[in-house]
Amino acid sequence: MSVAQPPTAQSVAETVAISAEHVSMTFQAQGRQTVALADVNLDVVPGEFISLLGPSGCGKSTLLRLIGDLLQPTSGTLRVKGKTPERARRDREYGIVFQAPVLYDWRNVTRNVQLPLEIFKVPAAERERRTKDLLALMGLRDFAQSYPWQLSGGMQQRVAIARALSFQPSILLMDEPFGALDEMTRERLNMELLNLWHQTGTTIIFVTHSIPEAVFLSTRVVVMTPRPGKIERIIPIDLPRPRDASTRETPGYFEYITQVRACLREEHVL
Amino acid sequence: MSDTAPPPNDRTNDSMQRPVSGSAATPGPDGGSSKSPPFRRAMQTAWPIAVVGCAILVAWYVLAIRGNWPQAQQGMAPHATFWQTVQASMSLDNPWVPPPHQVVQDLWYGLVESASGPHVTWVHVGTTAEEAGLGLLAGTLLGILIATLFVHAPLAEISFMPYVVASQTVPILALAPILINLVGINLKAKVIVTTYLVFFAVAVSAVKGLKSASPLAHELMRSYAANTWQVYWKLRFPAALPYIFTGLKISSTAALVGAMVAELIGSEYGLGALLVAGNTFGRDLLLWSTMLAGSILGLGSYLLLTLVERAVVRARPRLA
């Protein structure tokens, strides 16, 4: 347990979904050291939608991977629901969506979505039930038997999201999930993601380099800057919810975008 | 990651389903083959094969006439015409270069007309097919087993790979007699020789295949806290199947060669034994018809594997 936290693990888990204290990450490659993250501190409340925003090399993906136990920090402490990231991973707290859909070519849509359930040894009948609901929710019902290569990029990413949600993880880690999609598809999937978030109450960590996307989606935007990667500022987004397409036309939305841009300009990123 | 990996997905607009062209993704010459009925598609495959087949036949006949010319002239009157000599060269008793129809006739004779006669070709074909089939099966299992070991224990790959490669540089003609001396002239010996020729290509392609899944696909498994066994059966092995089939197809012909080479030594039955017989009794026609039987067998096993592959491998169709 971290030294600075007097409350019990239980109470911490209730008030903080994810906490990072003085987290640093240094990569070693060919004798050269690269500081990917320097002294990152962040507390995430359960049910929050946090965007990690910044240019390439600011360490936003690294931070996501550290939380998801796909990497281990060089120093500092990470806690996920009061547990180490490794414990949390083994307890299957994470649903992960990458920029690429990473679907298995030899499985159709249904079987791709069922992959984690198979690994968790969920009984077949229960698997079928949950997949059916999810495919309907994600607008994939007509593609249940299709193979990944028969779907467009946006549809593939929907399957990836359905797969991540299939086992109802408490934390969704999304690494530029819509980064490779066109603007229109991206906006539509943004809306769908918000709806899902409202329905499930999942804590979401969302890596992006799109300022409008971060502002539109998040409860808080974590602005990060590179060399070395660090958190520049955390901007709470108090736009009313539920947000929809018209939110993108309100003055408040533009003010937040301006605010984020100003923050990035101060650091000569923009 | 690997040079044979499928091309990355193009992520374009949403909800537009790409046309599904099934397994026949290579468009034919007219470009519209994906919509044509199976018969037309089959014809599009058949005619180029037929054209090449005819070319081979023509070349074979020309070679046969030239090769048999002196032999044909010997049995002719000195003023025989050109066409008379050509005709004679087509039906010599024991020609140096038998023309195709004589080879086919000889095979037909062995298979059909003389089912209980001097060379019971079916038994020979069956014997070789059995040995090659069993060897292919054993070699595939051994190859996959070795690849699985290598992939999970890199130290094993580093330490054993040189010896596996070295094992393949030993000529099978040198090894077969030694093995047969050890094991005896029986099915086991022939299956061992065949297995020896088969496992290498399967192991090499399976190693590549078992490593072919992307790092992200592995990270996904890690996020599910999947165990090694689950990663193997749900990710590594299915990803490796297309590679394994490539190795298998290469090996299927090697299996036949292995079985026939093993039969050269003291065997009573098998295409290899027929070759020995043809050689011993100076019956060249028998050598040729045995080769024909061997290639038909090889073609058959290749086709069979292709069909199994189509049924088993659910990978994306390759776009030309």
Side-chain angles (χ1 to χ4, degrees):
Chain A
M1 283 312 307
S2 61
V3 196
Q5 297 285 346
T8 62
Q10 188 61 39
S11 68
V12 169
E14 277 160 16
T15 54
V16 186
I18 302 164
S19 79
E21 283 176 52
H22 309 295
V23 169
S24 296
M25 182 73 205
T26 308
F27 289 109
Q28 302 253 19
Q30 282 130 27
R32 265 183 44 191
Q33 289 201 340
T34 314
V35 181
L37 279 178
D39 196 31
V40 164
N41 294 284
L42 180 67
D43 280 323
V44 179
V45 176
E48 262 199 291
F49 196 128
I50 297 284
S51 284
L52 307 179
L53 175 76
S56 306
C58 73
K60 52 192 194 299
S61 285
T62 304
L63 182 53
L64 185 101
R65 283 164 175 273
L66 288 173
I67 295 170
D69 192 39
L70 299 176
L71 288 172
Q72 283 72 46
T74 316
S75 64
T77 319
L78 271 161
R79 281 282 179 271
V80 177
K81 299 178 84 178
K83 300 178 276 197
T84 63
E86 197 203 346
R87 188 67 252 158
R89 176 173 64 81
R90 297 204 172 276
D91 289 348
R92 284 140 185 185
E93 304 277 7
Y94 305 118
I96 300 189
V97 181
F98 298 106
Q99 181 175 352
V102 201
L103 302 175
Y104 292 2
D105 267 350
W106 52 89
R107 288 173 168 248
N108 64 20
V109 167
T110 303
R111 299 247 302 132
N112 262 293
V113 172
Q114 288 181 347
L115 174 71
L117 301 177
E118 283 175 25
I119 288 168
F120 303 164
K121 301 199 168 67
V122 174
E126 173 73 5
R127 283 206 304 258
E128 290 299 326
R129 194 185 58 73
R130 278 207 232 171
T131 328
K132 232 175 158 181
D133 292 350
L134 257 176
L135 292 184
L137 186 69
M138 296 301 298
L140 288 164
R141 207 183 341 212
D142 295 341
F143 302 96
Q145 303 305 319
S146 301
Y147 281 86
W149 34 268
Q150 296 170 332
L151 302 177
S152 66
M155 291 303 256
Q156 291 183 10
Q157 203 54 289
R158 272 174 217 230
V159 179
I161 294 172
R163 180 182 58 192
L165 292 171
S166 66
F167 56 102
Q168 293 152 351
S170 58
I171 296 166
L172 202 50
L173 301 176
M174 308 183 85
D175 193 354
E176 297 189 41
F178 310 137
L181 302 176
D182 64 84
E183 196 64 30
M184 281 73 80
T185 307
R186 173 191 279 232
E187 284 196 12
R188 192 159 68 244
L189 286 180
N190 279 344
M191 282 302 313
E192 288 174 15
L193 181 60
L194 275 189
N195 289 338
L196 280 173
W197 177 60
H198 282 298
Q199 284 174 40
T200 57
T202 311
T203 309
I204 298 183
I205 309 291
F206 188 95
V207 168
T208 181
H209 49 219
S210 161
I211 300 170
E213 188 174 58
V215 168
F216 179 72
L217 292 172
S218 314
T219 54
R220 287 190 291 162
V221 173
V222 176
V223 181
M224 299 181 71
T225 50
R227 286 173 291 275
K230 60 180 188 300
I231 293 179
E232 196 55 47
R233 200 185 302 170
I234 300 176
I235 302 174
I237 308 291
D238 287 325
L239 292 171
R241 288 186 188 275
R243 298 171 190 171
D244 55 30
S246 64
T247 306
R248 294 187 195 268
E249 290 150 18
T250 59
Y253 173 71
F254 288 112
E255 273 166 36
Y256 278 117
I257 288 181
T258 311
Q259 200 181 329
V260 173
R261 291 178 67 91
C263 175
L264 288 167
R265 199 174 304 117
E266 272 169 39
E267 297 303 314
H268 307 288
V269 173
L270 264 182
Chain B
M1 218 196 143
S2 73
D3 46 341
T4 48
N9 304 337
D10 48 321
R11 284 167 219 89
T12 47
N13 53 336
D14 193 24
S15 74
M16 292 270 290
Q17 207 189 356
R18 286 204 210 104
V20 184
S21 52
S23 54
T26 17
D30 62 3
S33 68
S34 57
K35 281 178 191 163
S36 61
F39 175 73
R40 252 187 75 193
R41 223 183 298 158
M43 287 311 291
Q44 277 168 359
T45 323
W47 76 258
I49 296 174
V51 167
V52 174
C54 287
I56 291 174
L57 280 181
V58 168
W60 189 345
Y61 271 113
V62 169
L63 280 173
I65 292 164
R66 283 200 52 180
N68 295 334
W69 196 262
Q71 212 185 341
Q73 272 181 326
Q74 275 176 11
M76 309 271 311
H79 45 51
T81 64
F82 176 78
W83 283 112
Q84 281 170 327
T85 321
V86 167
Q87 272 179 336
S89 72
M90 292 289 96
S91 52
L92 292 165
D93 206 27
N94 194 13
W96 292 340
V97 185
H101 66 266
Q102 275 192 310
V103 176
V104 173
Q105 266 169 11
D106 193 61
L107 185 61
W108 185 257
Y109 177 77
L111 287 175
V112 181
E113 286 173 15
S114 122
S116 56
H119 50 273
V120 196
T121 313
W122 276 119
V123 179
H124 296 296
V125 170
T127 304
T128 303
E130 186 191 9
E131 293 158 3
L134 287 175
L136 195 61
L137 199 70
T140 305
L141 291 179
L142 181 65
I144 293 174
L145 210 69
I146 289 174
T148 304
L149 177 73
F150 282 8
V151 166
H152 288 98
L155 187 63
E157 183 175 6
I158 293 167
S159 32
F160 283 107
M161 199 50 153
Y163 300 103
V164 171
V165 175
S167 78
Q168 297 301 303
T169 63
V170 178
I172 194 66
L173 275 170
L175 197 79
I178 300 171
L179 254 166
I180 286 165
N181 274 341
L182 285 172
V183 184
I185 300 170
N186 52 30
L187 180 66
K188 200 161 92 186
K190 286 159 207 161
V191 172
I192 289 174
V193 171
T194 310
T195 304
Y196 185 85
L197 276 189
V198 164
F199 87 95
F200 183 69
V202 174
V204 170
S205 51
V207 164
K208 180 140 186 164
L210 289 171
K211 289 178 180 174
S212 69
S214 73
L216 282 182
H218 280 282
E219 285 193 331
L220 200 66
M221 281 299 189
R222 182 177 160 83
S223 80
Y224 303 147
N227 61 37
T228 312
W229 185 252
Q230 288 169 324
V231 173
Y232 185 81
W233 285 113
K234 299 210 182 283
L235 178 60
R236 283 188 188 276
F237 189 75
L241 269 179
Y243 294 81
I244 291 173
F245 269 102
T246 304
L248 253 176
K249 284 180 180 171
I250 296 168
S251 293
S252 70
T253 49
L256 279 172
V257 172
M260 285 165 76
V261 165
E263 285 161 359
L264 291 178
I265 302 148
S267 282
E268 258 185 276
Y269 296 107
L271 295 179
L274 272 188
L275 288 178
V276 173
N279 214 24
T280 313
F281 302 118
R283 284 245 312 130
D284 282 15
L285 202 48
L286 184 56
L287 296 182
W288 286 76
S289 64
T290 305
M291 282 196 286
L292 182 64
S295 22
I296 292 171
L297 208 54
L299 210 60
S301 70
Y302 190 90
L303 276 175
L304 192 69
L305 278 172
T306 309
L307 290 179
V308 174
E309 182 185 21
R310 264 191 213 164
V312 170
V313 177
R314 280 250 156 263
R316 85 180 64 210
R318 235 154 257 149
L319 297 170

